[in-house]
Amino acid sequence: MITMTEPRPAVMTTAPTLDEAIAFIWAEADMLDRLDYKAWLSLWTDEGRYIIPTERSVDDYDDRLNVVNDDAEMRAARVKRLLSGFSMSSAPPARTVRTVSRFVPQAGDDGALTLRAAQILAEYKYERMRILAADIDYRIVCGAEGLKIDRKIVTLVNCDDFLHGIGYLL
Amino acid sequence: MSSTDLAELVRDDRALTPLYTDADIFDEEMDRIFKNTWVWVAHSSDVATANTFKTSHVGREPVIVTRDKDGKIHTLLNRCRHRAASVCEKRRGKASVFVCPYHGWSYDPNGRLRKVPHKAGYPEDFDTEEFGLVTLRTEEYNGLIFATFRPDIEPLAEFLGPARKWIDLFMKQGGGYPVKVLGEHRFRFPGNWKIQLENTTDAYHFPIVHKTFLDSLDAEAENVFDVLGQGGWVEDLGNGHSVMVMIPDLIDLDDNLDAPIPQRFEALAKELANEGYSDDQVRKVVRAVGGTGFNLNLFPNVACSMAFFRVLRPVEVDETEITHVAIGMDGGPAAANRMRLRLHEHFQGPMGFGTPDDAEGWERVQRGARAGHDQWIMLNRGVSAPEGRAEPGHNAGDVSAETGMRAAYQMWKRMMTA
């Protein structure tokens, strides 16, 4: 559980190239569709933040209500819950197929590549298909163990309107 | 459907399945219930200052809740009096005028028609006073704003009756500050609105549906949320309202301020102390930060649920929109409000550790109700303690009793057959 915002230590690494980051993001998307959540946890930096906001064009997430605002501890708790078999919305979850594309590198800082992308995800459960579209902002760093996600902000196109229960990871 | 037919659908301890599935009954409900009682539309902090607004609904009808320049709150049908276009499509904001985008009729926040472009085309006796936005009767109790289509029903305070005491207790989670809306989660589920109405007064499901939430808490907090094991109860408060007390220790947040600070709030207490808050203030804020220990269900569309407002909006017979309104302390410590936001995100919302499982459960009810239209929805748990609270030595009226649901369905029956 995150209770407060602490200053983040600077990450001193070499920035990945755009091609490396895209291959990494596709591998992450594949992992999520396959529910390989334990492996997914290891893709993150220790300080990494996974955020799904309820408003668009926000820059301060900690003082606002989000759908998800996870640090490492909450991510681990979330994955434990989703894989536990005791959550009826995720045992089984909707099946998902997602693509990530329209990558645009942003002005990066030292040791990191910041980019935005589009994600289109189809979910299927109970005779029903739903489409979830989102802009995603990534901050990808390159450390000793390879590429890591340092920030992932999934802004659904309808994040400020009604959603539905989501029993998987975006 | 005649009143006699409708009356036969609800007995003292059960309701017939078409209450979830029949579109004609749903239409009747929208008329007989939602156009005939007080319906929650906003919290006062949604329209905190002059010329602010929030869009909302009364039953199926879109409304704008406004505060005019004199501070008075209005509920206006969101439809131009000319040819019906909606005059506001924002969720909330500030506006000193609402201009219809179609032909430019403009309205004051109190609904008055201000100006009609090219007025010369209308008869000389065209009276703008007659063409203000349709205004609903609006009243407020302790920050909760309700509206009604009925000018002649009892005042809001009377409608709430004994629920007022619980509203006052609920608002103590401001920790000495006024309660303020911090944000909203909205989601829909493919099911009837009464499935959600039932759920807010259903402690029975909690340890089963929310096992994964409980597993994510520290041991001390997990004990606090052992809602069936703390001597709680459910009370029928009249007019379809009920209260379900799950954690008796957290009924009155002004009590037990000397108790040890729970482990999960220790860091917050330390931070507040470091910021210079007195020990008394720290204890008051920390005791309030997690919310109360009860759910107050107000018929037909809102609940003060532990630490948030839960609002339901019927969309179709098998489609309901829920808003979980996160609340905090207006002017209170930023760290405490941040903690409230994180606690809210932990359980509530489309990806919380609780809500998706609730929503899935409600959908499963609707799916199951496709079968057996002649079957009863059973509401008879704890029926041998009809007053709600059981006599000593009798466990029928405990917190898991379906007393609150029976109260709501009896109000349903009263209104549907009136």
Side-chain angles (χ1 to χ4, degrees), chain A residues 57-79:
Chain A
S57 309
V58 169
D59 45 17
D60 175 11
Y61 299 99
D62 287 352
D63 284 320
R64 307 232 183 189
L65 185 69
N66 305 281
V67 176
V68 170
N69 183 349
D70 284 2
D71 61 4
E73 189 185 341
M74 274 299 274
R75 275 194 304 278
R78 188 177 295 281
V79 163

Side-chain angles (χ1 to χ4, degrees), chain A residues 1-2 4 62-64 66 78 81 84 87-89 125-128 160 162-164 166 168, chain B residues 184-188 212 271 338 341-342 345-346 350-353 356-357 360 363-364 370:
Chain A
M1 162 81 40
I2 314 160
M4 44 218 65
D62 287 352
D63 284 320
R64 307 232 183 189
N66 305 281
R78 188 177 295 281
R81 169 182 133 74
S84 69
S87 150
M88 80 169 104
S89 60
K125 192 173 187 177
Y126 295 151
E127 309 161 332
R128 180 187 54 236
D160 50 0
F162 68 86
L163 304 170
H164 292 88
I166 298 173
Y168 52 88
Chain B
E184 289 179 356
H185 283 137
R186 275 198 288 160
F187 63 99
R188 290 188 179 187
T212 61
E271 188 176 354
R338 242 175 261 138
L341 287 166
R342 300 294 90 78
E345 289 160 358
H346 186 166
M351 288 178 78
F353 284 31
D357 295 326
E360 181 101 355
E363 180 172 5
R364 292 284 289 269
R370 295 173 180 179

Side-chain angles (χ1 to χ4, degrees), chain A residues 43 137 168:
Chain A
L43 297 184
D137 293 276
Y168 52 88

Side-chain angles (χ1 to χ4, degrees), chain B residues 246-261:
Chain B
M246 292 166 283
I247 310 169
D249 176 53
L250 295 174
I251 290 175
D252 190 334
L253 297 175
D254 286 341
D255 287 348
N256 301 329
L257 289 169
D258 295 333
I261 304 267

Side-chain angles (χ1 to χ4, degrees), chain B residues 176-403:
Chain B
Y177 302 90
V179 165
K180 179 193 180 180
V181 170
L182 298 179
E184 289 179 356
H185 283 137
R186 275 198 288 160
F187 63 99
R188 290 188 179 187
F189 72 95
N192 187 265
W193 62 279
K194 296 185 295 300
I195 298 169
Q196 203 277 189
L197 182 70
E198 293 164 16
N199 180 261
T200 309
T201 176
D202 182 337
Y204 193 21
H205 81 291
F206 201 91
I208 298 161
V209 172
H210 300 309
K211 177 175 164 46
T212 61
F213 169 72
L214 295 167
D215 287 347
S216 72
L217 302 172
D218 64 61
E220 187 184 35
E222 195 175 347
N223 278 336
V224 170
F225 281 94
D226 171 24
V227 299
L228 298 190
Q230 303 196 41
W233 70 91
V234 188
E235 264 179 70
D236 178 346
L237 300 175
N239 286 342
H241 315 317
S242 63
V243 66
M244 172 174 74
V245 176
M246 292 166 283
I247 310 169
D249 176 53
L250 295 174
I251 290 175
D252 190 334
L253 297 175
D254 286 341
D255 287 348
N256 301 329
L257 289 169
D258 295 333
I261 304 267
Q263 186 192 327
R264 63 182 181 145
F265 300 140
E266 277 171 3
L268 174 67
K270 200 173 284 178
E271 188 176 354
L272 296 179
N274 288 342
E275 285 178 18
Y277 289 94
S278 71
D279 188 56
D280 286 352
Q281 285 173 309
V282 171
R283 288 181 171 278
K284 198 170 167 94
V285 166
V286 167
R287 182 154 158 86
V289 81
T292 66
F294 59 86
N295 283 2
L296 174 67
N297 219 14
L298 299 176
F299 189 90
N301 81 320
V302 68
C304 297
S305 178
M306 299 187 85
F308 67 107
F309 303 132
R310 191 184 219 190
V311 186
L312 69 84
R313 174 160 86 83
V315 179
E316 303 287 347
V317 64
D318 56 358
E319 181 83 358
T320 303
E321 185 167 309
I322 309 294
T323 305
H324 287 172
V325 182
I327 52 178
M329 306 167 184
D330 193 1
N337 282 332
R338 242 175 261 138
M339 177 113 204
R340 287 193 65 101
L341 287 166
R342 300 294 90 78
L343 289 171
H344 188 90
E345 289 160 358
H346 186 166
F347 190 95
Q348 318 297 340
M351 288 178 78
F353 284 31
T355 296
D357 295 326
D358 274 331
E360 181 101 355
W362 306 338
E363 180 172 5
R364 292 284 289 269
V365 171
Q366 191 74 25
R367 290 174 65 77
R370 295 173 180 179
H373 273 218
D374 57 345
Q375 295 294 304
W376 294 96
I377 309 295
M378 295 308 298
L379 307 162
N380 60 334
R381 191 173 165 83
V383 78
S384 23
E387 299 302 317
R389 196 163 188 173
E391 294 302 308
H394 191 312
N395 65 6
D398 76 353
V399 67
S400 74
E402 285 155 349
T403 313

